[in-house]
Amino acid sequence: MQKDRLTSRTGLAVTCAALLAALLVSAVVAIGLGSAVVTPGETARYLWAALSGGRIAADEVTAYQIVWQIRTPRVLLAALVGAGLSAIGVAIQAMVRNALADPFVLGVSSGASVGAVGVTVTGGLAALGIHAVSAGAFLGALAASLLVYAASAGRGALSPLRLVLTGVAMSLGFQALMSVIIYLAPDSEATSMVLYWTMGSFGAATWGALPAVAAAVLLGLAVLHRYSRALDVLALGDETAASLGVSPDRHRKGLLVLVSLVTGVMVAVSGAIAFVGLVMPHLVRMVAGATHARVLAVAPLTGAVFMVWVDLASRTLVAPRELPLGAITALVGVPVFIALMRRKGYLFGGR
């Protein structure tokens, strides 16, 4: 048994190392590709010069600025959002014991979008400066989570089917509310704004936006790893959790706040992106097993690699225009999810 455990840990370490290498290579390739193509070697040299304070020739300044000032923060943001969405999807599915749950399906992303759009249109929370939109998105995500939880909670245990149905209904309601806000806004750019918040984009990525997102995602990952055993127990049901000394209500409330915080910050900078938090946990469980400590180690890296390539596709397939991120993730996620559900013997959390 000890040998199997060692082998398991070694396999997990090798998998994570391979995904880290894939993420690094993907980032360098994605940074170099676009309307102005920069070779991987030149991209790596520019990145090293920026990090080490090296010098760049005068005729390379334009390429250097494209790599460091425009594409690097965008690729890093894509990796952070992909990691965050995957991890939050794992947590939500365990929290509500429902294989169809994710921030988008449960209405959390739509609520965050309403909060962000409301702050942008009305100029609310102006005292928070550059963090006003993030704060609005967090408040919207938290309000959506509380409404979905309160509306779906019955006298007994939380019904997974009721929660998903309530989440879908709330999501549609929040999208309608967002459309009304945009329709009544005097700004002529409202149409493009609603598309941004409903389908997602990293076009507004800047170095200034990265610290808040990185802090929220890393905090979320750290907390989820710490409570990975509790997630294992919650996935077994409330009665089993209570018999093992785990309070389902207390953990759900804490996870609810965490999910709202991380989702709100991500939506504030990227809009609502569907299917990543739904599909990635299932794919990872098929490879890493159902233990949440292992899933939470692999899923964020897998989601980060996936989102880097999704962003690359969004800005290169129909260049100079950009495809909405949500359109690409849906085109990939829908057939993958259907294939998973049709897979013989596949169950939530395992094979």
Side-chain angles (χ1 to χ4, degrees):
M1 181 179 294
Q2 185 176 0
K3 183 178 179 180
D4 292 341
R5 185 179 301 173
L6 178 62
T7 303
S8 177
R9 290 180 178 178
T10 302
L12 179 62
V14 171
T15 300
C16 291
L19 287 172
L20 280 173
L23 178 59
L24 179 61
V25 173
S26 300
V28 172
V29 172
I31 291 172
L33 293 180
S35 56
V37 178
V38 182
T39 64
E42 291 297 301
T43 300
R45 187 167 65 85
Y46 293 151
L47 293 175
W48 176 251
L51 294 173
S52 63
R55 294 185 176 182
I56 298 295
D59 59 345
E60 297 178 317
V61 171
T62 300
Y64 170 80
Q65 290 178 339
I66 292 174
V67 166
W68 182 248
Q69 297 295 339
I70 299 177
R71 293 181 184 169
T72 300
R74 177 167 182 152
V75 170
L76 291 178
L77 182 62
L80 286 170
V81 171
L85 287 174
S86 300
I88 292 302
V90 172
I92 290 181
Q93 289 174 7
M95 180 177 67
V96 302
R97 295 183 294 114
N98 195 304
L100 297 177
D102 79 333
F104 196 86
V105 172
L106 292 186
V108 181
S109 295
S110 298
S113 297
V114 170
V117 170
V119 168
T120 302
V121 172
T122 64
L125 304 178
L128 297 178
I130 61 174
H131 302 295
V133 177
S134 297
F138 166 67
L139 293 176
L142 182 60
S145 300
L146 293 175
L147 284 173
V148 171
Y149 187 87
S152 59
R155 295 181 179 179
L158 185 66
S159 170
L161 178 59
R162 184 187 302 167
L163 190 140
V164 170
L165 293 176
T166 304
V168 171
M170 290 290 184
S171 179
L172 294 174
F174 283 125
Q175 291 179 26
L177 178 59
M178 183 168 56
S179 298
V180 170
I181 294 174
I182 295 299
Y183 180 79
L184 297 177
D187 192 350
S188 59
E189 297 180 356
T191 303
S192 61
M193 185 187 301
V194 71
L195 179 63
Y196 173 82
W197 290 113
T198 55
M199 299 299 287
S201 172
F202 296 124
T206 62
W207 282 110
L210 286 178
V213 182
V217 171
L218 293 177
L219 174 64
L221 291 176
V223 173
L224 291 177
H225 275 289
R226 183 176 180 181
Y227 289 97
S228 58
R229 291 183 181 272
L231 291 174
D232 289 335
V233 177
L234 285 176
L236 299 176
D238 288 3
E239 293 183 0
T240 302
S243 67
L244 295 175
V246 175
S247 173
D249 289 339
R250 181 170 61 85
H251 282 84
R252 282 200 182 98
K253 290 177 182 178
L255 288 171
L256 201 64
V257 175
L258 179 67
V259 166
S260 301
L261 171 64
V262 179
T263 302
V265 173
M266 290 189 297
V267 169
V269 295
S270 66
I273 304 173
F275 281 99
V276 179
L278 175 63
V279 175
M280 286 298 153
H282 290 284
L283 293 177
V284 172
R285 287 190 192 99
M286 293 176 62
V287 177
T291 305
H292 282 87
R294 297 174 61 85
V295 175
L296 287 170
V298 178
L301 294 172
T302 306
V305 173
F306 174 70
M307 190 55 65
V308 167
W309 285 100
V310 167
D311 177 58
L312 177 61
S314 74
R315 58 186 170 87
T316 57
L317 288 179
V318 293
R321 301 178 64 186
E322 287 190 16
L323 289 173
L325 296 174
I328 299 177
T329 56
L331 289 174
V332 175
V334 169
V336 169
F337 190 74
I338 292 176
L340 282 175
M341 293 299 99
R342 292 179 59 86
R343 187 174 183 269
K344 184 178 181 180
Y346 179 80
L347 296 173
F348 171 56
R351 296 171 183 261

